[in-house]
Each structure stands twice: as structure tokens, then as C-alpha cells.
Amino acid sequence: MTLLALGINHRTATVEVREQVAFDPAELDAALGELRGLPEVREAAVLSTCNRTELYCVTDPEGEAVVLDWLGRFHGLPVEDLSRCAYHYLDHEAARHLMRVAVGLDSMVLGEPQILGQLKDAYQASREARGLGKELECLFQHTFAVAKQVRTETGIGRNPVSVAYAAVSLASRIFEDFGRARALLIGAGETIELVARHLVEAGVRQLTVANRTRERGEQLAAPLGGQAITLDAIPDALAEADIVISSTAAPLPILGKGMVERALKKRRYRPIFMVDIAVPRDIEPEVGQLSDIFLYTVDDLQEVIAENRRHRQVAADQAESLIEHGVGAWLHDRRIRSGGELIHDYRSRAETLRDHSLEQALARLGRGEEPEAVVRRLAHQLTNRLLHGPTVALREAASAERHDLLQAATDLLLDATPDKTR
């Protein structure tokens, strides 16, 4: 069996492609069921965020092509187009990739902490969908342990750096005094909550959170001194906003060009700074064509992210070292599990031969045969049956000059066998 990690991310695919391949939370159970139902797939987990969609699977050797084809079919994309921006890792490289993802080394913002929570959500979803087996269960547990060690022993997570932080940092370069800026945040998830906290810490005093349910918006806004509105109140709030940052899971854009044009007219064309963190996008790309709008997407945060990478590179190097130890520990456990399965299978075969020989011996005793003769025959027969398979394999190895197998057989069958004559 092969451990496979296959996906796309912000380095290999544009936001237009990533939003087509993203999994809606409502369809995740069905997706996991389909993926796990493929004959070549034994275990499966799906990680889908604004910056990456990745599938972690235990498959047959030819499973990579099957999984890529399924991903294309599920999202209605030609597999040829998808393959141009997809990457894959196998076995220990797949384990290393997952651990790097978990600690934020593969993120757009180096060391960002949200990805670990998203990975734990992906693990839980797969577990509930019965997509996990021994292999992925062990891999995820090793990964979470490594991520905890990296966060504890390195400085990679000490500063509040994330996509949310990068967005606020970019806004700070445009607004000299955040205390006069009015911010409109659309959505009420973890990213928007981080954005809100960073804005308040930076000095923003007027904060509005727009969300599908007003109750959730109030839970986020109230502790920070902000107010909450529903999505249908956005047009009026937009006219008052200097900063707009959006991150929802809506399948279609929330802000269109016409709505923004009307807001600009009401505010007498005072500029608006906008950041669209969502995938699929919340703000129509055409909004960026308006002369008084400064629209940025997650792909436009590269300058802020590059600066962040310079500050965190030392911690990242330390994290890479810890990950190598983590991969080694995972490989060690994997080999032990593999050896345990082999031992179990070999003992089961030996016990079957034993039981068969024992039944024959008991039948002979039942027929009144001499006990000593029956016991001697049992010992001879059992020895022949147990040694027949290994003997044939040794002869074939000798004939093919497989010295590696012969040496392994010597180590296993002779050197490890207790000598009762000593």
C-alpha cells in the first residue's frame, strides 16, 4: 500500500483555479464517501482551505492517477488542466509534506497558526466519515505531536502573523491613522475574528461585522466594541466604510461592481481599501477596475508575506529539523506495524498447519494406533509442512543468486534460532 498526498496550493494554482477545486463544507461528507469508495483507495482525508486543496489517501500503487481523475470529475474540471497545477508526494515524502503543512512551513504566511486547526477539522471530518484506518490515524497523530513540539520549541508562532495579519499590515501602509478609519468585515469565521482583533489592536475604533446570522456577528463584534449587521444591510454600511475585508464561505460573490459604484457615489468617491480573503471570492474582480477602489486578494499579499518569511526563517530551519525527526519516528512506527502484520500472517499460517496436523494425529489415536508412532509422525509431518514454503523459496533464491535474500534468511532462520545444544 502507498501513502499518497495529492493537491494544489497557492504556489501551483491561481485563485481562479483554487476556488473551483475547493470543497464546500456541505459537500465534504459526500466527497469523502466517493473518494473512500474508489476500489484503489483504502483510506482518505480531505483538507480544503482558501490556499490549498489536498487529498491524503492510502492507495494501491496505481492510485495516484485514479485519485487525480476523481478530483477532476468531482469538480467538473478536465484532468489535463488539473494535472498541470497538481503535485503529489508518496510515503515518507507525503508524511513530511503533511507535517510541513501542519506547522505552517508550506503556508503563504510562514508559520501561520490557523492551518493546524483546519487540519484537525479535516482529520475529524474524515474520522466521522470512516475514512481513516490505521495508516492515516497514525500519520495524523504523529503530525499533531510534531506540530505541538514545533510551536513549543521554536519561535515560529510567537508573533501574530497570518493572512489576517498580513491584510491588516497592508492596510496600515495606506492609512496613517487607523483611529479615523471605519472598517466593514464580512463574515464571522476564524479569519475575520483575527482580522477584527488585529484592527482593534492597530487602533480602529469603528468596526462593523456583516454576517448571514446577526447573532454570530454580534458574538464577534460586541467584545471588540463593534456592531453587527446582516448581509442585506451591506449596501448602506459600504458607503461608510474605509476598509472592507471579506472572508465567507459563500459560493457566489457578495459585493458586485454595481453595489460598490453606488456606495462610492454616496461617499463622494472617497477611496475604499478592500481585501478579499475568500475562496471562492466574495468580491467580483471587476470591482478592482473602479478608480477609487484598492482591491487586493490573497495572492496580492506576497510583499507582506515575503517580509514575514525573512523574520521567521531561523525558526523555520529549526522546525525543519524537528520535522525530520518526526518523519523518522513515523517511519519507525510504520515499519514496526508492517512487521507486526507479517508476523501475524505468518503465525496464522503456522497455526493452521499445526491444527491440521493435530487433527490427523488425534484421528490416528482414535483409531488405536501406537501413541509413540503417532507423536513421531506428528513431529515429522509438522516440521515438513512448516519448512516446505521457506525451503522452496531458499532454493529459488539460490538458483537466482539472490544473495540478499539468502543473507536475510540466514539472519532470520539460523542466527536468530536458539541453539539448544549449548
Side-chain angles (χ1 to χ4, degrees):
M1 298 305 295
T2 300
L3 174 64
L4 168 68
L6 182 148
I8 65 170
N9 65 17
H10 58 281
R11 292 192 184 91
T12 67
T14 64
V15 66
E16 289 86 359
V17 174
R18 297 201 305 274
E19 63 188 4
Q20 292 181 71
V21 183
F23 285 89
D24 188 291
E27 66 185 8
L28 189 55
D29 281 349
L32 280 167
E34 282 190 26
L35 181 57
R36 177 63 182 82
L38 297 174
E40 295 82 2
V41 176
R42 309 297 177 86
E43 303 177 36
V46 174
L47 173 64
S48 185
T49 74
C50 61
N51 284 329
R52 71 181 64 246
T53 292
E54 294 181 339
L55 311 177
Y56 292 88
C57 304
V58 177
T59 74
D60 293 341
E62 68 276 11
E64 178 190 342
V66 174
V67 171
L68 182 63
D69 182 67
W70 172 84
L71 183 61
R73 287 200 320 272
F74 190 89
H75 292 291
L77 295 173
V79 69
E80 296 80 10
D81 294 346
L82 193 56
S83 63
R84 282 195 284 269
C85 55
Y87 49 81
H88 73 275
Y89 300 94
L90 302 177
D91 295 323
H92 72 281
E93 293 293 343
R96 179 182 291 108
H97 177 72
L98 180 60
M99 293 179 191
R100 295 187 80 254
V101 168
V103 302
L105 291 182
D106 196 59
S107 296
M108 180 178 287
V109 178
L110 183 65
E112 62 94 1
Q114 293 111 307
I115 186 62
L116 181 58
Q118 293 166 332
L119 190 59
K120 288 182 176 180
D121 290 342
Y123 161 78
Q124 189 60 38
S126 180
R127 195 174 187 186
E128 291 174 358
R130 304 196 178 197
L132 297 183
K134 292 182 180 179
E135 189 74 14
L136 285 184
E137 178 70 38
C138 182
L139 174 62
F140 275 105
Q141 294 305 327
H142 270 279
T143 296
F144 296 148
V146 168
K148 181 179 180 180
Q149 185 181 17
V150 168
R151 293 288 170 185
T152 301
E153 298 182 15
T154 76
I156 200 166
R158 288 176 187 163
N159 296 319
V161 180
S162 60
V163 170
Y165 181 82
V168 174
S169 178
L170 184 59
S172 69
R173 301 181 183 184
I174 298 175
F175 295 91
E176 293 183 359
D177 184 4
F178 265 150
R180 297 181 180 180
R182 299 179 179 182
L184 170 63
L185 308 183
I186 304 175
E190 183 178 356
T191 299
I192 287 297
E193 184 173 359
L194 285 171
V195 168
R197 293 185 183 280
H198 291 320
L199 285 172
V200 171
E201 290 170 2
V204 170
R205 298 174 184 173
Q206 299 184 59
L207 186 72
T208 300
V209 176
N211 191 53
R212 182 175 57 84
T213 60
R214 185 165 184 164
E215 291 76 13
R216 171 56 187 152
E218 288 176 344
Q219 290 175 4
L220 192 158
L224 300 175
Q227 63 174 332
I229 61 174
T230 55
L231 296 181
D232 57 7
I234 287 178
D236 291 333
L238 191 58
E240 302 294 327
D242 304 301
I243 299 171
V244 177
I245 301 179
S246 185
S247 179
T248 76
L252 298 173
I254 293 175
L255 300 186
K257 185 178 179 181
M259 181 192 298
V260 177
E261 284 179 318
R262 289 189 290 274
L264 282 173
K265 186 175 181 180
K266 286 182 181 179
R267 57 189 282 116
R268 297 181 181 180
Y269 298 97
R270 284 182 289 119
I272 305 176
F273 170 81
M274 294 184 170
V275 180
D276 188 352
I277 304 176
V279 177
R281 284 172 287 187
D282 286 338
I283 304 174
E284 288 183 350
E286 292 77 11
V287 170
Q289 299 171 2
L290 300 174
S291 58
D292 296 302
I293 296 295
F294 299 90
L295 174 62
Y296 299 86
T297 69
V298 289
D299 289 348
D300 296 317
L301 302 178
Q302 292 296 340
E303 182 181 345
V304 178
I305 291 161
E307 183 177 344
N308 167 256
R309 283 187 176 276
R310 289 192 291 273
H311 291 304
R312 292 198 169 192
Q313 195 55 54
V314 172
D317 292 342
Q318 296 171 340
E320 294 281 13
S321 178
L322 293 173
I323 286 172
E324 287 306 309
H325 285 292
V327 172
W330 173 78
L331 277 172
H332 177 71
D333 283 0
R334 193 188 198 199
R335 293 187 189 111
I336 291 176
R337 291 197 311 276
S338 177
E341 293 172 0
L342 176 61
I343 291 169
H344 178 270
D345 292 344
Y346 188 69
R347 287 186 65 91
S348 295
R349 180 181 296 182
E351 288 170 357
T352 298
L353 294 173
R354 176 204 64 195
D355 293 343
H356 185 59
S357 297
L358 181 59
E359 289 176 4
Q360 291 179 330
L362 291 173
R364 291 190 183 95
L365 288 174
R367 292 195 297 268
E369 294 185 22
E370 179 66 31
E372 183 176 348
V374 170
V375 171
R376 289 184 181 277
R377 183 182 178 119
L378 170 63
H380 178 74
Q381 186 181 63
L382 189 56
T383 300
N384 284 342
R385 288 177 171 175
L386 288 173
L387 295 181
H388 175 72
T391 300
V392 171
L394 284 171
R395 285 174 179 165
E396 292 177 352
S399 175
E401 295 186 344
R402 290 293 306 275
H403 300 295
D404 55 334
L405 290 180
L406 293 173
Q407 183 58 53
T410 299
D411 295 340
L412 290 171
L413 302 178
L414 297 180
D415 292 351
T417 302
D419 187 348
K420 297 298 184 180
T421 62
R422 294 179 184 175

